[in-house]
Amino acid sequence: MAPLDALRNEATVAILTALPEEFAAVKAVLDEPYEVSTPGQAAGEYVAGTIPSKEGGKHCVLLANCSVAENLAAVSTSILLERFQRVTTVIMCGIAGGVPESLSEESAVRL
């Protein structure tokens, strides 16, 4: 079986980032990361890898950088879920546009 076909059956977690720095940070914690491309009108570029499961074993993870903008994140997620139909968990990782408000402690976003 080709690596992409195997990945379609194994990946159950997707992690999306908006900024290149966030992407690099998540990629650094993946075990055995490797790049994956999917063909089509909207070609997808992903990094696949694994993370340990708390029950033992591993989760197969897809990492995607969807750039900055809500609509790009939505489109990237839709394409990913169409191509990797076993993904059951999607995590948006990073600041995602939230910036601390220095003038008001109540409206400040804290990560």
Side-chain angles (χ1 to χ4, degrees):
M1 188 180 317
L4 182 57
D5 291 335
L7 186 59
R8 289 182 199 273
N9 292 322
E10 295 172 7
T12 58
V13 177
I15 301 176
L16 303 175
T17 63
L19 302 175
E21 297 85 355
E22 297 163 347
F23 183 86
V26 175
K27 183 177 178 182
V29 300
L30 292 179
D31 294 330
E32 305 169 17
Y34 61 96
E35 295 183 8
V36 177
S37 295
T38 58
Q41 297 271 161
E45 302 293 323
Y46 308 100
V47 170
T50 61
I51 55 173
S53 169
K54 71 177 186 175
E55 287 92 24
K58 298 177 182 181
H59 292 288
C60 184
V61 176
L62 289 168
L63 172 60
N65 188 5
C66 57
S67 195
V68 177
E70 293 169 358
N71 58 338
L72 293 175
V75 169
S76 296
T77 304
S78 296
I79 292 169
L80 186 145
L81 292 173
E82 178 184 316
R83 294 186 176 158
F84 299 95
Q85 296 180 2
R86 298 222 28 219
V87 169
T88 57
T89 304
V90 177
I91 301 167
M92 182 65 192
C93 182
I95 196 164
V99 177
E101 169 65 60
S102 62
L103 301 177
S104 170
E105 194 63 32
E106 292 135 16
S107 61
V109 176
R110 298 287 181 227
L111 304 175

